[in-house]
Amino acid sequence: MALLPRLRQLMRRPSSASRVGARRPTSTARRGDTLHEDALRSMLSDDPNNTRAFAALAEIVRRRAAETGPDGDPLTAPQDELARQRAADLAVWSLGEELAGNPRAWYPLIEVARLSVHDDHEGTLRRLTTGAERDPSGTALAQALSLLREAGKPVDALGIGVGHWRPREHDPEVARQLVLAAVEADRPLDAKQFLANLDLYPDQASVRELREELAHVVAEAQQAMPGT
């Protein structure tokens, strides 16, 4: 089956909170990395936004998916590189959906959105929005905006950012991502307003260098406007 239909099946699959962080049962022999996997899942059960633990666990499930078939048999493993990559992506997608069942989880949603950003527009925006709403620090929002910008979707980044940015409370990195998204979307006046909103951040000394950097970006964008 093609990757996108498989991903959509996983997307529609209901998650169960009681299974978050639990290793799936398997009939295959225990592998050398099983204890490591169990430790990583335990860490992610405690903190589903542990980026290092997620990356390490994603690497394990990617390798397993690429080396074995759905039944755990190496003889039925994907035979070509594209099939192995699809199997690995599906495994990480499934892991992210599983961990996203934790109501505190935002990072797994970002990672699933990364896999779906070119194939599932609405699902991607939904996941990024949910992730941003779950994280009061603004880190999830900044990563969501960065992901959309990297995918060439600055207008979508602006749509999420404008509705969720809290300049007084959020990581100033959100301001950087919004200013850059506005410039990339040919909206220099919006970029200027986002820069001005940095005035609301309580620790002005900590954002001085960021303000200078973004002021330079905004000035260049305004100079490039027709008629200026």
Side-chain angles (χ1 to χ4, degrees):
M1 181 180 295
L3 177 61
L4 182 55
R6 289 290 304 278
L7 294 180
R8 285 174 175 165
Q9 283 183 0
L10 287 169
M11 179 178 60
R12 292 193 296 265
R13 185 183 62 190
S15 13
S16 170
S18 64
R19 296 186 52 169
V20 170
R23 181 167 52 89
R24 290 191 182 86
T26 175
S27 58
T28 61
R30 291 177 66 86
R31 294 173 176 266
D33 58 15
T34 297
L35 293 178
H36 188 202
E37 177 181 352
D38 288 343
L40 291 170
R41 286 184 178 274
S42 178
M43 293 170 64
L44 288 165
S45 180
D46 293 336
D47 177 10
N49 304 311
N50 185 325
T51 58
R52 294 181 64 181
F54 185 96
L57 183 54
E59 179 59 28
I60 290 174
V61 300
R62 276 185 175 277
R63 185 172 66 249
R64 179 176 300 139
E67 293 176 351
T68 64
D71 56 357
D73 187 347
L75 296 177
T76 60
Q79 296 302 307
D80 61 82
E81 185 58 33
L82 180 58
R84 284 193 291 270
Q85 182 63 44
R86 286 175 174 172
D89 287 346
L90 282 169
V92 175
W93 179 293
S94 181
L95 173 65
E97 290 280 290
E98 174 188 341
L99 294 171
N102 187 319
R104 295 181 292 115
W106 58 263
Y107 186 73
L109 288 165
I110 299 290
E111 289 305 298
V112 174
R114 197 180 306 281
L115 291 172
S116 68
V117 67
H118 296 295
D119 300 311
D120 180 15
H121 182 258
E122 292 184 4
T124 295
L125 296 184
R126 183 175 65 251
R127 292 181 185 89
L128 294 178
T129 298
T130 300
E133 291 171 348
R134 289 181 175 183
D135 174 32
S137 75
T139 301
L141 179 57
Q143 292 194 20
L145 303 185
S146 177
L147 188 158
L148 289 169
R149 287 184 49 244
E150 290 173 2
K153 302 177 184 295
V155 174
D156 288 330
L158 292 174
I160 291 180
V162 169
H164 292 85
W165 185 30
R166 298 194 295 274
R168 291 184 177 88
E169 306 166 25
H170 280 169
D171 185 335
E173 179 63 21
V174 177
R176 183 201 308 276
Q177 296 300 327
L178 278 172
V179 168
L180 294 176
V183 170
E184 291 163 0
D186 295 323
R187 299 182 184 179
L189 296 181
D190 288 345
K192 184 177 181 180
Q193 183 58 54
F194 295 140
L195 175 61
N197 286 347
L198 269 179
D199 291 342
L200 300 174
Y201 192 68
D203 186 357
Q204 286 294 298
S206 69
V207 298
R208 185 176 295 115
E209 290 186 6
L210 175 62
R211 181 192 302 281
E212 293 174 357
E213 173 192 336
L214 295 181
H216 181 68
V217 172
V218 170
E220 286 189 337
Q222 288 185 303
Q223 288 174 5
M225 289 179 65
T228 61

